[in-house]
Amino acid sequence: MAERAARKVGIACQGGGSHAAFTAGVLRRLMQKDLLERYELAGISGTSGGAICAALAWTGLKQGGPQEARERLYRFWDHAKADTPLDAWQNYWGQAIASLPWRLDVSPYRVESGADRVLGSWLREFLKLEELTKEARAGAPYLFIGATDVLKGDRCIFSGTDLDYPELLGSAALPFLYRAVHTRGHVLWDGLFSVNPPIRDLLDLDLDELWVIQISPLAVAQEPKTFEAIRDRRDQLAGNISLAQELHFVDKINEIVALNGELKRRRRRGEPQHYYRPVTIRLLDAGLDEAKYGYGSTLDRSPELIDELIRRGEAMASRFFDEETLWPRRGALEGRTMSVAPRRRARRKPAPEPDGGI
């Protein structure tokens, strides 16, 4: 109990299409009894595929406990697999088209793909948000979902206290695949463009540790030259820049607290004054090789890929308790993502000594 009380944790889940199956594996393992005894979950957040995984875990915990959370994560991703002849055929051609050296994108406003209806039906089947009472939604663990308002450029955060399906669909509404989602006065695109995933919102939960599940690789080995590689890298950079901004905020709070001893948080009506305190940051990088897990695989629903990613997540989840995930660290997402390295000045050669006769 002493260790549980000393490790109050918030988990943030980055988006990544089908690659979010890795996140499902991480969360499933973290919900097992032997690891649950080592931390207390104060809140969970996510964007896009990470938002779906976070919501599945959250509703499961609220409606049945850790085992129900594990089951919901498994059932959703098992249902998402392209394991029928028709699904497998559609998935195959989707991968083939995504791998072409050129692409003619068609606006989803001209040709409706129906993907939003399919995803919406899946969410309703496995989340059952309408069955959550107001009392069940309140209290820890808390849930935060990130999306982007395409008109205003706003970073939009939706809380589990009044979350509905449109907000989750908006968080995953990647342009050219989905139409923008209109809800609560917002026009929503995928959250990767502004908040991937929500992190600073978790700080209000008085955390000891922040655990981040990173899907998008920070660096790649080769210059992107094909259409799919360029689009894949564009989305990776967009998602990781917003992640770096969120982590930079937490790191600065830690620096200020270390220098001044305390820092007041915004006080909510009726609550006592709270203060920020140092938060240990841990970052788990999925380590997906871009040669194997390129743009096409973020749309791949083959049973082999999803099972592989879930197993990978389950195998790596316990690293959150090891020193190797501590952040900042060399080679991980770090301050260089937020700043420009100074240009090195060439060393000037000393002027020759003048001759005595001149």
Side-chain angles (χ1 to χ4, degrees), residues 1-11 38-43 140-142 202-211 265 274 277-280 321:
M1 291 300 295
E3 185 176 359
R4 172 187 286 270
R7 197 185 289 244
K8 190 176 179 182
V9 169
I11 301 176
R38 302 175 64 182
Y39 73 99
E40 175 188 348
L41 182 61
Y142 295 89
L202 293 169
L203 292 188
D204 287 333
L205 305 182
D206 197 28
L207 303 179
D208 294 298
E209 296 193 0
L210 170 69
W211 296 355
R265 293 197 309 226
H274 292 286
R277 58 193 180 91
V279 176
T280 298
F321 300 94

PDB file of all heavy atoms in Angstrom, residues 1-11 38-43 140-142 202-211 265 274 277-280 321:
ATOM      1  N   MET A   1       0.825  -1.194   0.000  1.00  0.00           N
ATOM      2  CA  MET A   1       0.000   0.000   0.000  1.00  0.00           C
ATOM      3  C   MET A   1       0.866   1.253   0.000  1.00  0.00           C
ATOM      4  O   MET A   1       0.538   2.256  -0.591  1.00  0.00           O
ATOM      5  CB  MET A   1      -0.917   0.003   1.218  1.00  0.00           C
ATOM      6  CG  MET A   1      -1.994  -1.081   1.152  1.00  0.00           C
ATOM      7  SD  MET A   1      -3.081  -0.891  -0.283  1.00  0.00           S
ATOM      8  CE  MET A   1      -3.863   0.662   0.102  1.00  0.00           C
ATOM      9  N   ALA A   2       2.029   1.170   0.676  1.00  0.00           N
ATOM     10  CA  ALA A   2       2.910   2.332   0.729  1.00  0.00           C
ATOM     11  C   ALA A   2       3.417   2.670  -0.660  1.00  0.00           C
ATOM     12  O   ALA A   2       3.477   3.825  -1.060  1.00  0.00           O
ATOM     13  CB  ALA A   2       4.074   2.061   1.676  1.00  0.00           C
ATOM     14  N   GLU A   3       3.768   1.605  -1.454  1.00  0.00           N
ATOM     15  CA  GLU A   3       4.271   1.856  -2.802  1.00  0.00           C
ATOM     16  C   GLU A   3       3.160   2.411  -3.677  1.00  0.00           C
ATOM     17  O   GLU A   3       3.371   3.301  -4.488  1.00  0.00           O
ATOM     18  CB  GLU A   3       4.811   0.558  -3.395  1.00  0.00           C
ATOM     19  CG  GLU A   3       5.468   0.775  -4.747  1.00  0.00           C
ATOM     20  CD  GLU A   3       6.099  -0.485  -5.295  1.00  0.00           C
ATOM     21  OE1 GLU A   3       6.036  -1.528  -4.621  1.00  0.00           O
ATOM     22  OE2 GLU A   3       6.652  -0.417  -6.403  1.00  0.00           O
ATOM     23  N   ARG A   4       1.915   1.884  -3.531  1.00  0.00           N
ATOM     24  CA  ARG A   4       0.794   2.378  -4.310  1.00  0.00           C
ATOM     25  C   ARG A   4       0.567   3.865  -4.037  1.00  0.00           C
ATOM     26  O   ARG A   4       0.391   4.664  -4.948  1.00  0.00           O
ATOM     27  CB  ARG A   4      -0.472   1.584  -3.978  1.00  0.00           C
ATOM     28  CG  ARG A   4      -1.737   2.161  -4.601  1.00  0.00           C
ATOM     29  CD  ARG A   4      -2.962   1.427  -4.105  1.00  0.00           C
ATOM     30  NE  ARG A   4      -3.056   0.121  -4.703  1.00  0.00           N
ATOM     31  CZ  ARG A   4      -3.706  -0.116  -5.845  1.00  0.00           C
ATOM     32  NH1 ARG A   4      -4.288   0.867  -6.494  1.00  0.00           N
ATOM     33  NH2 ARG A   4      -3.770  -1.325  -6.336  1.00  0.00           N
ATOM     34  N   ALA A   5       0.577   4.255  -2.758  1.00  0.00           N
ATOM     35  CA  ALA A   5       0.324   5.641  -2.401  1.00  0.00           C
ATOM     36  C   ALA A   5       1.436   6.554  -2.919  1.00  0.00           C
ATOM     37  O   ALA A   5       1.206   7.724  -3.166  1.00  0.00           O
ATOM     38  CB  ALA A   5       0.190   5.774  -0.885  1.00  0.00           C
ATOM     39  N   ALA A   6       2.656   6.014  -3.090  1.00  0.00           N
ATOM     40  CA  ALA A   6       3.792   6.840  -3.508  1.00  0.00           C
ATOM     41  C   ALA A   6       3.906   6.950  -5.015  1.00  0.00           C
ATOM     42  O   ALA A   6       4.775   7.636  -5.518  1.00  0.00           O
ATOM     43  CB  ALA A   6       5.077   6.261  -2.932  1.00  0.00           C
ATOM     44  N   ARG A   7       3.020   6.277  -5.764  1.00  0.00           N
ATOM     45  CA  ARG A   7       3.144   6.285  -7.226  1.00  0.00           C
ATOM     46  C   ARG A   7       1.775   6.525  -7.851  1.00  0.00           C
ATOM     47  O   ARG A   7       1.124   5.625  -8.351  1.00  0.00           O
ATOM     48  CB  ARG A   7       3.726   4.961  -7.715  1.00  0.00           C
ATOM     49  CG  ARG A   7       4.281   5.019  -9.137  1.00  0.00           C
ATOM     50  CD  ARG A   7       4.715   3.644  -9.596  1.00  0.00           C
ATOM     51  NE  ARG A   7       5.910   3.209  -8.911  1.00  0.00           N
ATOM     52  CZ  ARG A   7       7.077   2.976  -9.518  1.00  0.00           C
ATOM     53  NH1 ARG A   7       7.194   3.178 -10.800  1.00  0.00           N
ATOM     54  NH2 ARG A   7       8.114   2.557  -8.838  1.00  0.00           N
ATOM     55  N   LYS A   8       1.343   7.776  -7.793  1.00  0.00           N
ATOM     56  CA  LYS A   8       0.075   8.182  -8.392  1.00  0.00           C
ATOM     57  C   LYS A   8       0.360   8.594  -9.832  1.00  0.00           C
ATOM     58  O   LYS A   8       1.133   9.529 -10.076  1.00  0.00           O
ATOM     59  CB  LYS A   8      -0.530   9.341  -7.600  1.00  0.00           C
ATOM     60  CG  LYS A   8      -1.942   9.702  -7.979  1.00  0.00           C
ATOM     61  CD  LYS A   8      -2.449  10.802  -7.048  1.00  0.00           C
ATOM     62  CE  LYS A   8      -3.860  11.219  -7.410  1.00  0.00           C
ATOM     63  NZ  LYS A   8      -4.339  12.328  -6.532  1.00  0.00           N
ATOM     64  N   VAL A   9      -0.264   7.904 -10.791  1.00  0.00           N
ATOM     65  CA  VAL A   9       0.170   7.962 -12.182  1.00  0.00           C
ATOM     66  C   VAL A   9      -0.927   8.482 -13.098  1.00  0.00           C
ATOM     67  O   VAL A   9      -2.110   8.176 -12.927  1.00  0.00           O
ATOM     68  CB  VAL A   9       0.613   6.549 -12.643  1.00  0.00           C
ATOM     69  CG1 VAL A   9       0.828   6.500 -14.140  1.00  0.00           C
ATOM     70  CG2 VAL A   9       1.884   6.143 -11.914  1.00  0.00           C
ATOM     71  N   GLY A  10      -0.507   9.258 -14.117  1.00  0.00           N
ATOM     72  CA  GLY A  10      -1.351   9.614 -15.248  1.00  0.00           C
ATOM     73  C   GLY A  10      -0.745   9.017 -16.502  1.00  0.00           C
ATOM     74  O   GLY A  10       0.474   9.059 -16.690  1.00  0.00           O
ATOM     75  N   ILE A  11      -1.569   8.431 -17.359  1.00  0.00           N
ATOM     76  CA  ILE A  11      -1.092   7.776 -18.578  1.00  0.00           C
ATOM     77  C   ILE A  11      -1.602   8.544 -19.790  1.00  0.00           C
ATOM     78  O   ILE A  11      -2.795   8.827 -19.898  1.00  0.00           O
ATOM     79  CB  ILE A  11      -1.565   6.310 -18.654  1.00  0.00           C
ATOM     80  CG1 ILE A  11      -1.057   5.519 -17.447  1.00  0.00           C
ATOM     81  CG2 ILE A  11      -1.085   5.657 -19.948  1.00  0.00           C
ATOM     82  CD1 ILE A  11      -1.551   4.079 -17.396  1.00  0.00           C
ATOM     83  N   ARG A  38       1.367  -1.865  -8.072  1.00  0.00           N
ATOM     84  CA  ARG A  38       2.553  -1.018  -7.968  1.00  0.00           C
ATOM     85  C   ARG A  38       2.292   0.450  -8.311  1.00  0.00           C
ATOM     86  O   ARG A  38       3.199   1.263  -8.270  1.00  0.00           O
ATOM     87  CB  ARG A  38       3.651  -1.577  -8.887  1.00  0.00           C
ATOM     88  CG  ARG A  38       4.016  -3.023  -8.556  1.00  0.00           C
ATOM     89  CD  ARG A  38       5.002  -3.602  -9.546  1.00  0.00           C
ATOM     90  NE  ARG A  38       6.281  -2.914  -9.519  1.00  0.00           N
ATOM     91  CZ  ARG A  38       7.307  -3.213 -10.319  1.00  0.00           C
ATOM     92  NH1 ARG A  38       7.173  -4.178 -11.216  1.00  0.00           N
ATOM     93  NH2 ARG A  38       8.431  -2.539 -10.234  1.00  0.00           N
ATOM     94  N   TYR A  39       1.057   0.791  -8.686  1.00  0.00           N
ATOM     95  CA  TYR A  39       0.736   2.183  -8.988  1.00  0.00           C
ATOM     96  C   TYR A  39      -0.758   2.423  -8.802  1.00  0.00           C
ATOM     97  O   TYR A  39      -1.559   1.493  -8.727  1.00  0.00           O
ATOM     98  CB  TYR A  39       1.147   2.541 -10.419  1.00  0.00           C
ATOM     99  CG  TYR A  39       0.264   1.947 -11.496  1.00  0.00           C
ATOM    100  CD1 TYR A  39      -0.743   2.701 -12.093  1.00  0.00           C
ATOM    101  CD2 TYR A  39       0.434   0.629 -11.925  1.00  0.00           C
ATOM    102  CE1 TYR A  39      -1.555   2.173 -13.077  1.00  0.00           C
ATOM    103  CE2 TYR A  39      -0.367   0.086 -12.908  1.00  0.00           C
ATOM    104  CZ  TYR A  39      -1.371   0.860 -13.480  1.00  0.00           C
ATOM    105  OH  TYR A  39      -2.177   0.324 -14.456  1.00  0.00           O
ATOM    106  N   GLU A  40      -1.125   3.693  -8.733  1.00  0.00           N
ATOM    107  CA  GLU A  40      -2.530   4.110  -8.667  1.00  0.00           C
ATOM    108  C   GLU A  40      -2.826   4.971  -9.881  1.00  0.00           C
ATOM    109  O   GLU A  40      -2.149   5.984 -10.113  1.00  0.00           O
ATOM    110  CB  GLU A  40      -2.790   4.907  -7.395  1.00  0.00           C
ATOM    111  CG  GLU A  40      -4.192   5.481  -7.298  1.00  0.00           C
ATOM    112  CD  GLU A  40      -4.354   6.425  -6.119  1.00  0.00           C
ATOM    113  OE1 GLU A  40      -3.458   6.475  -5.250  1.00  0.00           O
ATOM    114  OE2 GLU A  40      -5.381   7.139  -6.081  1.00  0.00           O
ATOM    115  N   LEU A  41      -3.817   4.592 -10.679  1.00  0.00           N
ATOM    116  CA  LEU A  41      -4.151   5.337 -11.883  1.00  0.00           C
ATOM    117  C   LEU A  41      -5.052   6.515 -11.535  1.00  0.00           C
ATOM    118  O   LEU A  41      -6.206   6.346 -11.154  1.00  0.00           O
ATOM    119  CB  LEU A  41      -4.849   4.432 -12.897  1.00  0.00           C
ATOM    120  CG  LEU A  41      -5.216   5.090 -14.232  1.00  0.00           C
ATOM    121  CD1 LEU A  41      -3.958   5.586 -14.955  1.00  0.00           C
ATOM    122  CD2 LEU A  41      -5.989   4.118 -15.124  1.00  0.00           C
ATOM    123  N   ALA A  42      -4.512   7.735 -11.689  1.00  0.00           N
ATOM    124  CA  ALA A  42      -5.288   8.943 -11.400  1.00  0.00           C
ATOM    125  C   ALA A  42      -6.058   9.421 -12.615  1.00  0.00           C
ATOM    126  O   ALA A  42      -7.148   9.980 -12.495  1.00  0.00           O
ATOM    127  CB  ALA A  42      -4.359  10.047 -10.913  1.00  0.00           C
ATOM    128  N   GLY A  43      -5.495   9.225 -13.809  1.00  0.00           N
ATOM    129  CA  GLY A  43      -6.153   9.680 -15.020  1.00  0.00           C
ATOM    130  C   GLY A  43      -5.488   9.114 -16.250  1.00  0.00           C
ATOM    131  O   GLY A  43      -4.349   8.637 -16.207  1.00  0.00           O
ATOM    132  N   ALA A 140     -11.792   9.694  -9.864  1.00  0.00           N
ATOM    133  CA  ALA A 140     -10.672   8.999 -10.500  1.00  0.00           C
ATOM    134  C   ALA A 140     -11.072   7.565 -10.873  1.00  0.00           C
ATOM    135  O   ALA A 140     -11.892   6.950 -10.190  1.00  0.00           O
ATOM    136  CB  ALA A 140      -9.474   8.991  -9.556  1.00  0.00           C
ATOM    137  N   PRO A 141     -10.453   7.069 -11.964  1.00  0.00           N
ATOM    138  CA  PRO A 141      -9.546   7.788 -12.858  1.00  0.00           C
ATOM    139  C   PRO A 141     -10.311   8.710 -13.801  1.00  0.00           C
ATOM    140  O   PRO A 141     -11.419   8.401 -14.219  1.00  0.00           O
ATOM    141  CB  PRO A 141      -8.855   6.669 -13.627  1.00  0.00           C
ATOM    142  CG  PRO A 141      -9.853   5.553 -13.655  1.00  0.00           C
ATOM    143  CD  PRO A 141     -10.586   5.635 -12.346  1.00  0.00           C
ATOM    144  N   TYR A 142      -9.693   9.854 -14.124  1.00  0.00           N
ATOM    145  CA  TYR A 142     -10.288  10.825 -15.025  1.00  0.00           C
ATOM    146  C   TYR A 142      -9.840  10.526 -16.458  1.00  0.00           C
ATOM    147  O   TYR A 142      -8.814   9.881 -16.687  1.00  0.00           O
ATOM    148  CB  TYR A 142      -9.873  12.239 -14.627  1.00  0.00           C
ATOM    149  CG  TYR A 142     -10.393  12.657 -13.274  1.00  0.00           C
ATOM    150  CD1 TYR A 142      -9.657  12.404 -12.115  1.00  0.00           C
ATOM    151  CD2 TYR A 142     -11.623  13.295 -13.141  1.00  0.00           C
ATOM    152  CE1 TYR A 142     -10.137  12.776 -10.859  1.00  0.00           C
ATOM    153  CE2 TYR A 142     -12.113  13.678 -11.895  1.00  0.00           C
ATOM    154  CZ  TYR A 142     -11.366  13.415 -10.755  1.00  0.00           C
ATOM    155  OH  TYR A 142     -11.846  13.778  -9.530  1.00  0.00           O
ATOM    156  N   LEU A 202      -3.387  16.478 -17.303  1.00  0.00           N
ATOM    157  CA  LEU A 202      -3.221  15.468 -16.261  1.00  0.00           C
ATOM    158  C   LEU A 202      -2.539  16.034 -15.017  1.00  0.00           C
ATOM    159  O   LEU A 202      -2.657  15.458 -13.931  1.00  0.00           O
ATOM    160  CB  LEU A 202      -2.416  14.285 -16.803  1.00  0.00           C
ATOM    161  CG  LEU A 202      -3.085  13.439 -17.890  1.00  0.00           C
ATOM    162  CD1 LEU A 202      -2.077  12.480 -18.507  1.00  0.00           C
ATOM    163  CD2 LEU A 202      -4.276  12.661 -17.330  1.00  0.00           C
ATOM    164  N   LEU A 203      -1.820  17.153 -15.163  1.00  0.00           N
ATOM    165  CA  LEU A 203      -1.088  17.700 -14.024  1.00  0.00           C
ATOM    166  C   LEU A 203      -2.010  18.152 -12.898  1.00  0.00           C
ATOM    167  O   LEU A 203      -1.607  18.213 -11.737  1.00  0.00           O
ATOM    168  CB  LEU A 203      -0.209  18.871 -14.466  1.00  0.00           C
ATOM    169  CG  LEU A 203       0.980  18.553 -15.374  1.00  0.00           C
ATOM    170  CD1 LEU A 203       1.841  19.786 -15.535  1.00  0.00           C
ATOM    171  CD2 LEU A 203       1.793  17.394 -14.837  1.00  0.00           C
ATOM    172  N   ASP A 204      -3.254  18.501 -13.237  1.00  0.00           N
ATOM    173  CA  ASP A 204      -4.199  18.940 -12.215  1.00  0.00           C
ATOM    174  C   ASP A 204      -4.621  17.806 -11.292  1.00  0.00           C
ATOM    175  O   ASP A 204      -5.341  18.029 -10.319  1.00  0.00           O
ATOM    176  CB  ASP A 204      -5.446  19.560 -12.865  1.00  0.00           C
ATOM    177  CG  ASP A 204      -5.161  20.926 -13.459  1.00  0.00           C
ATOM    178  OD1 ASP A 204      -4.242  21.602 -12.961  1.00  0.00           O
ATOM    179  OD2 ASP A 204      -5.838  21.308 -14.430  1.00  0.00           O
ATOM    180  N   LEU A 205      -4.174  16.584 -11.586  1.00  0.00           N
ATOM    181  CA  LEU A 205      -4.550  15.426 -10.771  1.00  0.00           C
ATOM    182  C   LEU A 205      -3.529  15.139  -9.681  1.00  0.00           C
ATOM    183  O   LEU A 205      -3.587  14.107  -9.029  1.00  0.00           O
ATOM    184  CB  LEU A 205      -4.716  14.191 -11.674  1.00  0.00           C
ATOM    185  CG  LEU A 205      -5.688  14.347 -12.839  1.00  0.00           C
ATOM    186  CD1 LEU A 205      -5.795  13.055 -13.631  1.00  0.00           C
ATOM    187  CD2 LEU A 205      -7.065  14.784 -12.345  1.00  0.00           C
ATOM    188  N   ASP A 206      -2.572  16.056  -9.488  1.00  0.00           N
ATOM    189  CA  ASP A 206      -1.591  15.928  -8.405  1.00  0.00           C
ATOM    190  C   ASP A 206      -0.806  14.622  -8.530  1.00  0.00           C
ATOM    191  O   ASP A 206      -0.769  13.793  -7.632  1.00  0.00           O
ATOM    192  CB  ASP A 206      -2.307  15.994  -7.052  1.00  0.00           C
ATOM    193  CG  ASP A 206      -1.347  16.280  -5.893  1.00  0.00           C
ATOM    194  OD1 ASP A 206      -0.318  16.930  -6.136  1.00  0.00           O
ATOM    195  OD2 ASP A 206      -1.627  15.831  -4.774  1.00  0.00           O
ATOM    196  N   LEU A 207      -0.156  14.452  -9.680  1.00  0.00           N
ATOM    197  CA  LEU A 207       0.536  13.206 -10.005  1.00  0.00           C
ATOM    198  C   LEU A 207       1.902  13.107  -9.340  1.00  0.00           C
ATOM    199  O   LEU A 207       2.546  14.104  -9.032  1.00  0.00           O
ATOM    200  CB  LEU A 207       0.739  13.101 -11.515  1.00  0.00           C
ATOM    201  CG  LEU A 207      -0.478  13.167 -12.425  1.00  0.00           C
ATOM    202  CD1 LEU A 207      -0.034  13.059 -13.879  1.00  0.00           C
ATOM    203  CD2 LEU A 207      -1.487  12.080 -12.092  1.00  0.00           C
ATOM    204  N   ASP A 208       2.331  11.860  -9.172  1.00  0.00           N
ATOM    205  CA  ASP A 208       3.730  11.572  -8.861  1.00  0.00           C
ATOM    206  C   ASP A 208       4.504  11.297 -10.142  1.00  0.00           C
ATOM    207  O   ASP A 208       5.654  11.701 -10.281  1.00  0.00           O
ATOM    208  CB  ASP A 208       3.835  10.357  -7.936  1.00  0.00           C
ATOM    209  CG  ASP A 208       3.239  10.610  -6.574  1.00  0.00           C
ATOM    210  OD1 ASP A 208       3.735  11.506  -5.877  1.00  0.00           O
ATOM    211  OD2 ASP A 208       2.270   9.919  -6.210  1.00  0.00           O
ATOM    212  N   GLU A 209       3.839  10.573 -11.076  1.00  0.00           N
ATOM    213  CA  GLU A 209       4.510  10.205 -12.316  1.00  0.00           C
ATOM    214  C   GLU A 209       3.565  10.371 -13.504  1.00  0.00           C
ATOM    215  O   GLU A 209       2.352  10.155 -13.395  1.00  0.00           O
ATOM    216  CB  GLU A 209       5.010   8.761 -12.267  1.00  0.00           C
ATOM    217  CG  GLU A 209       6.079   8.528 -11.216  1.00  0.00           C
ATOM    218  CD  GLU A 209       6.799   7.201 -11.366  1.00  0.00           C
ATOM    219  OE1 GLU A 209       6.473   6.426 -12.299  1.00  0.00           O
ATOM    220  OE2 GLU A 209       7.697   6.940 -10.542  1.00  0.00           O
ATOM    221  N   LEU A 210       4.163  10.727 -14.637  1.00  0.00           N
ATOM    222  CA  LEU A 210       3.451  10.814 -15.900  1.00  0.00           C
ATOM    223  C   LEU A 210       4.042   9.772 -16.841  1.00  0.00           C
ATOM    224  O   LEU A 210       5.246   9.778 -17.090  1.00  0.00           O
ATOM    225  CB  LEU A 210       3.602  12.212 -16.493  1.00  0.00           C
ATOM    226  CG  LEU A 210       3.107  12.397 -17.928  1.00  0.00           C
ATOM    227  CD1 LEU A 210       1.595  12.286 -17.993  1.00  0.00           C
ATOM    228  CD2 LEU A 210       3.575  13.733 -18.483  1.00  0.00           C
ATOM    229  N   TRP A 211       3.199   8.874 -17.349  1.00  0.00           N
ATOM    230  CA  TRP A 211       3.645   7.831 -18.271  1.00  0.00           C
ATOM    231  C   TRP A 211       3.107   8.131 -19.666  1.00  0.00           C
ATOM    232  O   TRP A 211       1.900   8.276 -19.856  1.00  0.00           O
ATOM    233  CB  TRP A 211       3.159   6.452 -17.825  1.00  0.00           C
ATOM    234  CG  TRP A 211       3.719   5.996 -16.505  1.00  0.00           C
ATOM    235  CD1 TRP A 211       4.653   6.623 -15.740  1.00  0.00           C
ATOM    236  CD2 TRP A 211       3.355   4.801 -15.797  1.00  0.00           C
ATOM    237  NE1 TRP A 211       4.907   5.899 -14.605  1.00  0.00           N
ATOM    238  CE2 TRP A 211       4.122   4.779 -14.608  1.00  0.00           C
ATOM    239  CE3 TRP A 211       2.462   3.768 -16.051  1.00  0.00           C
ATOM    240  CZ2 TRP A 211       4.022   3.740 -13.672  1.00  0.00           C
ATOM    241  CZ3 TRP A 211       2.355   2.735 -15.130  1.00  0.00           C
ATOM    242  CH2 TRP A 211       3.136   2.721 -13.957  1.00  0.00           C
ATOM    243  N   ARG A 265      -1.429  26.398  -8.450  1.00  0.00           N
ATOM    244  CA  ARG A 265      -2.267  26.016  -9.571  1.00  0.00           C
ATOM    245  C   ARG A 265      -3.532  26.848  -9.551  1.00  0.00           C
ATOM    246  O   ARG A 265      -3.897  27.386  -8.509  1.00  0.00           O
ATOM    247  CB  ARG A 265      -2.648  24.529  -9.480  1.00  0.00           C
ATOM    248  CG  ARG A 265      -1.493  23.577  -9.662  1.00  0.00           C
ATOM    249  CD  ARG A 265      -1.972  22.194  -9.972  1.00  0.00           C
ATOM    250  NE  ARG A 265      -2.979  21.719  -9.041  1.00  0.00           N
ATOM    251  CZ  ARG A 265      -2.961  20.511  -8.494  1.00  0.00           C
ATOM    252  NH1 ARG A 265      -1.995  19.690  -8.765  1.00  0.00           N
ATOM    253  NH2 ARG A 265      -3.927  20.132  -7.682  1.00  0.00           N
ATOM    254  N   HIS A 274      -4.286  24.533  -4.401  1.00  0.00           N
ATOM    255  CA  HIS A 274      -3.342  23.446  -4.631  1.00  0.00           C
ATOM    256  C   HIS A 274      -2.075  24.009  -5.277  1.00  0.00           C
ATOM    257  O   HIS A 274      -2.088  25.094  -5.865  1.00  0.00           O
ATOM    258  CB  HIS A 274      -3.954  22.375  -5.536  1.00  0.00           C
ATOM    259  CG  HIS A 274      -5.078  21.611  -4.904  1.00  0.00           C
ATOM    260  ND1 HIS A 274      -4.868  20.669  -3.932  1.00  0.00           N
ATOM    261  CD2 HIS A 274      -6.418  21.661  -5.096  1.00  0.00           C
ATOM    262  CE1 HIS A 274      -6.027  20.163  -3.551  1.00  0.00           C
ATOM    263  NE2 HIS A 274      -6.992  20.748  -4.237  1.00  0.00           N
ATOM    264  N   ARG A 277       3.727  20.207  -7.997  1.00  0.00           N
ATOM    265  CA  ARG A 277       4.909  19.597  -7.404  1.00  0.00           C
ATOM    266  C   ARG A 277       5.641  18.804  -8.476  1.00  0.00           C
ATOM    267  O   ARG A 277       5.073  18.539  -9.542  1.00  0.00           O
ATOM    268  CB  ARG A 277       4.532  18.710  -6.223  1.00  0.00           C
ATOM    269  CG  ARG A 277       3.565  17.580  -6.507  1.00  0.00           C
ATOM    270  CD  ARG A 277       3.044  17.015  -5.184  1.00  0.00           C
ATOM    271  NE  ARG A 277       2.106  15.926  -5.364  1.00  0.00           N
ATOM    272  CZ  ARG A 277       2.449  14.642  -5.420  1.00  0.00           C
ATOM    273  NH1 ARG A 277       3.740  14.302  -5.352  1.00  0.00           N
ATOM    274  NH2 ARG A 277       1.536  13.701  -5.561  1.00  0.00           N
ATOM    275  N   PRO A 278       6.894  18.443  -8.243  1.00  0.00           N
ATOM    276  CA  PRO A 278       7.655  17.748  -9.289  1.00  0.00           C
ATOM    277  C   PRO A 278       6.978  16.457  -9.731  1.00  0.00           C
ATOM    278  O   PRO A 278       6.459  15.700  -8.912  1.00  0.00           O
ATOM    279  CB  PRO A 278       9.003  17.464  -8.609  1.00  0.00           C
ATOM    280  CG  PRO A 278       9.107  18.481  -7.529  1.00  0.00           C
ATOM    281  CD  PRO A 278       7.705  18.705  -7.043  1.00  0.00           C
ATOM    282  N   VAL A 279       6.968  16.229 -11.037  1.00  0.00           N
ATOM    283  CA  VAL A 279       6.370  15.028 -11.612  1.00  0.00           C
ATOM    284  C   VAL A 279       7.450  14.271 -12.379  1.00  0.00           C
ATOM    285  O   VAL A 279       8.112  14.837 -13.261  1.00  0.00           O
ATOM    286  CB  VAL A 279       5.212  15.382 -12.568  1.00  0.00           C
ATOM    287  CG1 VAL A 279       4.669  14.125 -13.246  1.00  0.00           C
ATOM    288  CG2 VAL A 279       4.097  16.102 -11.820  1.00  0.00           C
ATOM    289  N   THR A 280       7.641  13.019 -12.048  1.00  0.00           N
ATOM    290  CA  THR A 280       8.582  12.174 -12.776  1.00  0.00           C
ATOM    291  C   THR A 280       7.948  11.780 -14.107  1.00  0.00           C
ATOM    292  O   THR A 280       6.821  11.288 -14.140  1.00  0.00           O
ATOM    293  CB  THR A 280       8.918  10.906 -11.976  1.00  0.00           C
ATOM    294  OG1 THR A 280       9.540  11.287 -10.746  1.00  0.00           O
ATOM    295  CG2 THR A 280       9.857  10.001 -12.756  1.00  0.00           C
ATOM    296  N   PHE A 321       8.382   0.766 -15.133  1.00  0.00           N
ATOM    297  CA  PHE A 321       8.912   0.659 -13.774  1.00  0.00           C
ATOM    298  C   PHE A 321      10.434   0.620 -13.771  1.00  0.00           C
ATOM    299  O   PHE A 321      11.046   0.456 -12.715  1.00  0.00           O
ATOM    300  CB  PHE A 321       8.351  -0.599 -13.093  1.00  0.00           C
ATOM    301  CG  PHE A 321       6.849  -0.594 -12.992  1.00  0.00           C
ATOM    302  CD1 PHE A 321       6.065  -1.201 -13.957  1.00  0.00           C
ATOM    303  CD2 PHE A 321       6.214   0.045 -11.930  1.00  0.00           C
ATOM    304  CE1 PHE A 321       4.675  -1.185 -13.876  1.00  0.00           C
ATOM    305  CE2 PHE A 321       4.829   0.067 -11.828  1.00  0.00           C
ATOM    306  CZ  PHE A 321       4.060  -0.548 -12.808  1.00  0.00           C
TER     307      PHE A 321
END
